[in-house]
Amino acid sequence: MERSKTVDEYISNHQNWKREITFLRAIALNTSFTETIKWGVPTYTINGKNVVGIGAFKNYVGLWFFNGSFLKDTQNKLINAQEGKTKGLRQWRFLSLDEMDESLILEYLNEAIENQKAGKTIKITRGKPVVIPPELQKILDENKELKSFFEGFTNSKQREFADHIADAKRDATKGKRLEKIIPMILSGVGLHDKYKNC
């Protein structure tokens, strides 16, 4: 694997952990990873997807596996740094070079590579699901062009349209709101875009 000059710079800026970072980097360079810098730290990718990073902190050096929850972790080395918040990310912390077992680290790295190649990744879901009211769904089903434009919006913009219709109490109001939003959807304009651009 080709060495990244920016990783060389990262190591030179962390003299306290230079030996440990260099050791972990050498192991990563013995795999099929591509080395790069992301978020200011050495990051190792497969087909452009982040798999593992090396980070130096005040009290420890860590490997973090972006989809570490899929690792078998037979030696119980991995921790979830933000329990309840982080779904896939797992850390392996080291306090010194003496704690680093090259063959075991390589085993974990190779498993992470295989998991990435197999497509094992955490699917991130953001926000509430979009619940489309029947009145809007009927029009989307009848008009493929409208449906295509609607599906091109972000979830939050889809939700704004859906809630706008669902929140109307009377059928007549729902009808008027539908008439208003159809040209907006076909123009690619979100319900509240004019207010967001102020």
Side-chain angles (χ1 to χ4, degrees):
M1 185 207 308
E2 189 177 327
R3 298 163 65 92
S4 165
K5 288 180 182 171
T6 49
V7 174
D8 291 335
E9 291 168 15
Y10 178 86
I11 293 170
S12 69
N13 289 331
H14 288 83
Q15 289 300 316
N16 290 351
W17 296 106
K18 185 174 182 177
R19 291 171 57 229
E20 289 80 2
I21 300 168
T22 302
F23 185 80
L24 292 172
R25 181 195 196 189
I27 299 169
L29 289 171
N30 265 330
T31 68
S32 55
F33 282 131
T34 298
E35 182 178 67
T36 185
I37 286 274
K38 291 189 180 182
W39 309 287
V41 298
T43 304
Y44 299 85
T45 65
I46 293 291
N47 298 324
K49 302 289 185 184
N50 302 328
V51 180
V52 68
I54 299 173
F57 300 89
K58 185 178 179 182
N59 299 317
Y60 66 90
V61 170
L63 283 175
W64 64 82
F65 296 86
F66 290 91
N67 286 292
S69 59
F70 292 107
L71 294 169
K72 294 184 191 92
D73 192 20
T74 53
Q75 303 299 312
N76 295 315
K77 299 293 186 182
L78 305 180
I79 63 167
N80 185 335
Q82 290 187 299
E83 203 66 54
K85 288 186 179 180
T86 306
K87 291 185 179 180
L89 192 72
R90 296 293 181 270
Q91 288 185 344
W92 184 352
R93 296 178 178 180
F94 305 94
L95 303 178
S96 71
L97 192 63
D98 296 337
E99 292 182 7
M100 297 181 178
D101 179 333
E102 182 175 355
S103 61
L104 187 60
I105 292 168
L106 189 59
E107 185 182 313
Y108 275 66
L109 294 180
N110 283 327
E111 186 187 351
I113 290 168
E114 292 310 309
N115 286 346
Q116 183 61 50
K117 287 179 176 176
K120 293 182 179 180
T121 57
I122 296 290
K123 301 289 183 253
I124 298 172
T125 54
R126 291 186 169 92
K128 300 182 296 184
V130 178
V131 179
I132 299 173
E135 300 85 357
L136 178 56
Q137 189 63 60
K138 182 175 185 289
I139 291 173
L140 293 174
D141 291 342
E142 290 170 355
N143 186 330
K144 285 189 167 65
E145 184 186 14
L146 184 70
K147 186 173 184 178
S148 174
F149 274 94
F150 183 79
E151 289 174 348
F153 284 110
T154 62
N155 277 3
S156 63
K157 288 190 178 185
Q158 287 180 14
R159 193 178 308 106
E160 286 171 0
F161 283 121
D163 290 349
H164 186 59
I165 303 305
D167 290 346
K169 302 286 186 267
R170 298 170 50 227
D171 288 343
T173 309
K174 288 184 182 188
K176 284 181 184 174
R177 289 184 178 186
L178 282 166
E179 285 176 27
K180 174 190 168 188
I181 68 169
I182 288 170
M184 294 178 77
I185 293 169
L186 290 171
S187 300
V189 176
L191 186 65
H192 303 301
D193 282 3
K194 67 178 179 181
Y195 303 111
K196 291 175 182 171
N197 293 331
C198 293

